[in-house]
Every structure is written in C-alpha cells, then in structure tokens.
C-alpha cells in the first residue's frame, strides 16, 4: 500500500505541476488530489522539492536502464529508438514545463546526458562501425531527439502517430 500511495502522490504531483506549474502547486493541492492529508504526503516526501526531484530523476534512470538492456539483450536499432522515443515522449513534457520555470531550475538533474547520448549512438552504430555507420547513427539519434520540439508544438502530448513517424524517420536516417 505504501508504494502504491507514493506512486499516486508522484502521479498527482506530475499532473498538477504540468497543469498549474511548480510554484502554483502546494503540498495541500497534491494531498487533495490523492485524497490524503498533508501529513501523508510528508510521510513519503520531505518537501515539494523532493517530489519534483524524484519526478525529474526518473527519465535519466530510464535512459541508463535502456542502455544497459540494449547491451545485455542486444536490442536492435528499432527497439532502442522506439524505447527512447516513447520514454522521451512520456517524460519530456515535465522537463519542458520545468525548464521554463526558474523556481525549479536547480532541481533538474545534471547527470551526464552527453555520455548517455554517446552510448546510444554507439549502440545504434552497431559493432565495428564504419565512419558512415557512425554518421547515420548520429543522424538517427538527432531525429529521435525531435521528440522534444514535437512535444513543445503539441502542448506536451505526443500521440502514437507522431511517435511512429519520428521512429520511421530515425530508422530511415540509420539506413534501416
């Protein structure tokens, strides 16, 4: 029950942060959204900042897990791109909302995104890549990253049709 309540709090906070903004959302708002007391929210999270920090940390962990799984299970480029695009589409809206809110700028994790991008590009390029393979892998990953601009254009929502088109374009850039 405790894990479920914690997940409910995170989901409600995410929705409220997206709809109202971080600064305009209180712990009382989050508690009301899940039908709990403020004390119940504080049982799971010390502060509103800790809720936001956990919401923002999840995407970087998801990318790390994707890289690990891709290596262990030898995922193909289509699967890597699909999971990356879907993950970015699901979490990107929160990053966009927070990136424009100076009150939470310090909460956005400063993980080594460049290293993660390089690792995904290496996976897309395949074993023993030629210089041309590396160029195509970079191009495919650049296309996959258009999820962010697509989210901005679509009010933070990215439907399956747009995701499919981004994936198809990335695969074409890869030469698949």
């Amino acid at each position: 029950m405790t894990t479920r309540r914690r997940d409910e709090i995170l989901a409600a906070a995410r929705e409220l942060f997206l709809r109202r903004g971080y600064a305009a959302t209180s712990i009382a708002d989050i508690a009301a959204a899940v039908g709990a007391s403020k004390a119940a929210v504080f049982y799971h999270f010390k502060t509103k900042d800790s809720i936001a920090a956990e919401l923002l940390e999840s995407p970087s962990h998801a990318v790390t897990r994707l890289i690990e799984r891709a290596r262990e299970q030898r995922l193909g480029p289509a699967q890597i791109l699909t999971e990356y695009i879907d993950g970015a589409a699901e979490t990107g809206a929160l990053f966009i909302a927070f990136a424009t809110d100076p009150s939470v700028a310090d909460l956005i994790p400063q993980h080594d995104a460049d290293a993660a991008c390089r690792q995904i590009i290496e996976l897309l390029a395949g074993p023993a890549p030629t210089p041309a393979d590396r160029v195509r892998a970079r191009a495919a990953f650049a296309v996959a990253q258009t999820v962010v601009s697509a989210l901005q254009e679509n009010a933070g929502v990215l439907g399956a049709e747009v995701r499919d088109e981004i994936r198809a374009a990335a695969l074409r850039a890869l030469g698949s």
Side-chain angles (χ1 to χ4, degrees), residues 35 71 127 157:
R71 285 191 175 127
V157 178

Side-chain angles (χ1 to χ4, degrees), residues 81-116:
L81 289 167
T82 296
E83 291 190 29
Y84 179 83
I85 291 165
D86 288 347
E90 294 300 320
T91 60
L94 191 61
F95 271 98
I96 291 167
F98 279 20
T100 60
D101 186 342
S103 67
V104 287
D106 291 340
L107 298 177
I108 297 174
Q110 300 303 317
H111 69 284
D112 194 351
D114 289 341

Side-chain angles (χ1 to χ4, degrees), residues 52-94:
E54 186 161 328
L55 287 169
L56 289 167
E57 193 62 35
S58 292
S60 63
H61 288 305
V63 170
T64 300
R65 283 191 305 275
L66 171 59
I67 292 166
E68 289 168 356
R69 276 189 338 91
R71 285 191 175 127
E72 291 168 6
Q73 299 173 12
R74 300 185 191 276
L75 298 179
Q79 186 67 35
I80 293 168
L81 289 167
T82 296
E83 291 190 29
Y84 179 83
I85 291 165
D86 288 347
E90 294 300 320
T91 60
L94 191 61

